[in-house]
Amino acid sequence: MSTAAETACGDIEPWEEVTPDAARRLLVAAVEAFAERGYHATTTRDIAGRAGMSPAALYIHYKTKEELLHRISRIGHDRALGILRTAAQGEGDATERLADAVSSFVRWHAGRRTTARVVQYELDALGPEARDEILALRRQVDAEVRGIIEEGVAAGEFDVPDVHGTTLAVLSLCIDVARWFNVNGPRTPDEVGALYADLVLRMVGAQPPAADRSRPAGPQT
């Protein structure tokens, strides 16, 4: 499946902020090539060929292969951060917001698995300045999840002796979905997101979300 057609919730990943069209085509081709072959094994000729363009045409839009990776990584991290920030600032208690954050983050890594593999696993290929910029975004990602967990601990919803370590474990669990998820596998991105949200709530010692706690126990008729 083309990266441009990957779906997390039935929507298309258009890279709409990348213009003109030729620059967008090159970026999508780079995502596919980096995910398939790795950054270092991919040449600018590979990228241009996938985009149906000449190698010389690539340099009109991107000065280097690293600039392409930086653009991909920046866009991907911005979107991942936006997903978590929306959940963290949403309504509901910490349990509900952590479940929403995890399920949404996992759906993105499953539905955008090709993009996510490049965004999450090619960081070391960036130069120092670009890498520092992406690391700053990663710290913000960490802060959003850690903030929800801290609020849950303070409210007595979570039993977490090590908030920092637990935050790292939650994020690692979510991110790894991009490595193994198979669109032809038995679970959809939504199903994996729901499963991981339940696993994380168990990890932090949370009670079921408020909506579930309000339902009467026992079999329903």
Side-chain angles (χ1 to χ4, degrees):
M1 180 185 293
S2 167
T3 302
E6 286 186 351
T7 177
C9 303
D11 58 324
I12 301 299
E13 173 67 286
W15 302 96
E16 71 278 357
E17 67 190 75
V18 181
T19 56
D21 178 69
R24 186 184 305 112
R25 285 164 49 202
L26 286 164
L27 185 142
V28 170
V31 169
E32 294 171 348
F34 294 157
E36 180 181 315
R37 307 188 62 184
Y39 175 81
H40 293 293
T42 298
T43 66
T44 53
R45 185 176 294 275
D46 293 332
I47 296 168
R50 285 173 183 262
M53 301 165 69
S54 70
L58 185 148
Y59 295 107
I60 296 174
H61 303 284
Y62 303 98
K63 294 178 182 178
T64 64
K65 183 175 71 168
E66 184 192 340
E67 183 180 336
L68 261 170
L69 178 61
H70 180 216
R71 188 79 187 275
I72 293 164
S73 191
R74 176 66 200 233
I75 292 171
H77 278 88
D78 278 340
R79 294 190 178 181
L81 177 58
I83 288 167
L84 291 174
R85 186 163 285 162
T86 297
Q89 296 175 355
E91 298 180 355
D93 58 21
T95 299
E96 292 168 314
R97 287 183 286 117
L98 183 59
D100 187 26
V102 170
S103 61
S104 300
F105 202 47
V106 166
R107 284 200 306 271
W108 188 83
H109 281 83
R112 307 281 189 248
R113 64 204 175 282
T114 306
T115 300
R117 283 201 299 271
V118 176
V119 167
Q120 299 292 2
Y121 296 114
E122 294 289 354
L123 177 64
D124 288 343
L126 292 172
E129 185 175 346
R131 190 172 186 272
D132 286 347
E133 179 186 339
I134 300 305
L135 285 174
L137 287 172
R138 289 195 175 207
R139 286 191 290 271
Q140 292 180 58
V141 165
D142 180 278
E144 293 297 337
V145 175
R146 188 175 65 251
I148 301 173
I149 295 175
E150 288 173 341
E151 289 179 29
V153 171
E157 295 179 51
F158 303 158
D159 180 12
V160 179
D162 183 349
V163 171
H164 175 78
T166 301
T167 300
L168 178 61
V170 169
L171 288 171
S172 297
L173 190 69
C174 296
I175 288 169
D176 194 56
V177 171
R179 182 184 58 80
W180 62 259
F181 184 80
N182 182 351
V183 69
N184 296 314
R187 296 180 189 269
T188 67
D190 283 344
E191 289 169 340
V192 177
L195 171 64
Y196 274 49
D198 179 70
L199 292 173
V200 167
L201 293 185
R202 293 172 187 271
M203 182 190 300
V204 299
Q207 294 295 317
D212 293 335
R213 294 199 299 268
S214 67
R215 296 172 187 159
Q220 302 298 303
T221 59

